[in-house]
Amino acid sequence: MLEPLPANKPVGRLAPSPTGAQHIGNARTYLLAWLSIRWRGGRLILRIEDIDSPRVKAGAAQQAIDDLHWLGLDWDEGPDIGGPHAPYVQTERIESYREALSRLQFARVYPCTCTRSDIEAAASAPHVEHEGAIYPGTCAGRSALDAVKLGDQPFAWRFRTTDQVIEFDDRVAGPQRVNVRRELGDFVVGKMDGSVAYQLAVVCDDHAMGVTEVLRGDDLLPSTFRQLELYAEFDWTPPTFAHVPLVVGPDGRRLAKRHGDTRLATLRQQGVSAERLIGLLAWSCGLRPTREPVTARELLVDFDLSRVSRERFLFTEPRPW
Ligand code: GLU
Ligand code: ZN
């Protein structure tokens, strides 16, 4: 039986995409997401974000779960343990996304027949390298009703953003403001093949699962403005947001394969202890003065989100343990 949730306790989530192995950069964000909720006695949900089917790798979801366990992180609801908001795998929640999309069709979307890379990439979160050009509004003259006139021509559903400044206070990155139409442009919510986009799926899930705090990498800051437009349209209360700096390689780019093998699964195989990695990450965040090995649980003693460094962590050493 689940304990009833005290009204003032935060609910957070860990949301790995099984499109590849989890690496040190992901671990740092998960650690902070876990600490930020647990130090206030809140609840955590594990959700597998697997709607980008062509990019999903076999076994990667289970490996992400194993990685998180290895790191010493835990959760109260998830695909492995169930819970009141099941299912916790996005491909099993597609019906709810379709329903949400059909609600948008009355007012805020239009069929877009452009062949553009942002349509192709829409099923995954647009991390830095995937923030493409601003959509020029080519199809914005259409309404949702125009879809029937298109016959067999394939189209994506694009969300009509507002031409106004949206503001929010990020718990880590501070006050943020953007004019979504001018600075980000209309974005894809439904793909040509009938599947839904990351932006829509993540908002539907965070709302349905009662998530009150989203903590993720700061390359998803622009997506938060898109998601806030969706929250407003659905008349749903948005969670609070905390965007933490990324781990970058020597070239200043988001940690990736080109920077060498920093996969958590590899570290495990090499016999590196999770405490050593957590020690390094805690030091990189300014939570500990040295890289002394430490457990995630030990960091709860004096954790405070406001102490987390606002600097990116430049990861240069191949084997800092
Ligand atoms: N599943 C996404 C990713 O791993 C995270 C999206 C989010 O936190 O909103 O890229
Ligand atoms: Zn278009």
Side-chain angles (χ1 to χ4, degrees), residues 24 276 280 291 315 317-321:
I24 290 176
R276 291 197 83 152
L280 173 74
R291 304 165 177 210
F315 186 77
E317 303 137 280
R319 274 187 193 74
W321 7 86

Side-chain angles (χ1 to χ4, degrees), residues 13 15-17 22 26 30 47 49 90 124-125 127 198 202 206 214-217 220 227 254:
R13 38 67 155 195
S17 289
Q22 307 298 314
N26 303 116
Y30 297 138
R47 183 171 73 224
E49 304 208 324
Q90 284 194 324
S124 269
H127 293 287
Y198 154 77
V202 86
D206 284 335
V214 168
L215 187 151
R216 58 189 171 199
L220 290 177
Q227 291 167 21
R254 180 176 186 251

Side-chain angles (χ1 to χ4, degrees), residues 110-114 116 119 135 137-140 142 158:
Y110 56 87
C112 168
T113 46
C114 306
R116 291 177 60 92
I119 299 180
Y135 180 67
T138 319
C139 305
R142 290 192 187 127
R158 207 176 266 278

Side-chain angles (χ1 to χ4, degrees), residues 293-313:
V294 66
T295 63
R297 208 157 281 281
E298 283 162 350
L299 291 173
L300 286 174
V301 178
D302 57 352
F303 183 75
D304 182 344
L305 193 60
S306 65
R307 277 178 42 219
V308 171
S309 162
R310 268 62 174 165
E311 301 294 318
R312 298 194 148 189
F313 175 34

Side-chain angles (χ1 to χ4, degrees), residues 199-210:
Q199 305 291 357
L200 181 60
V202 86
V203 165
C204 289
D205 286 348
D206 284 335
H207 170 71
M209 294 179 176

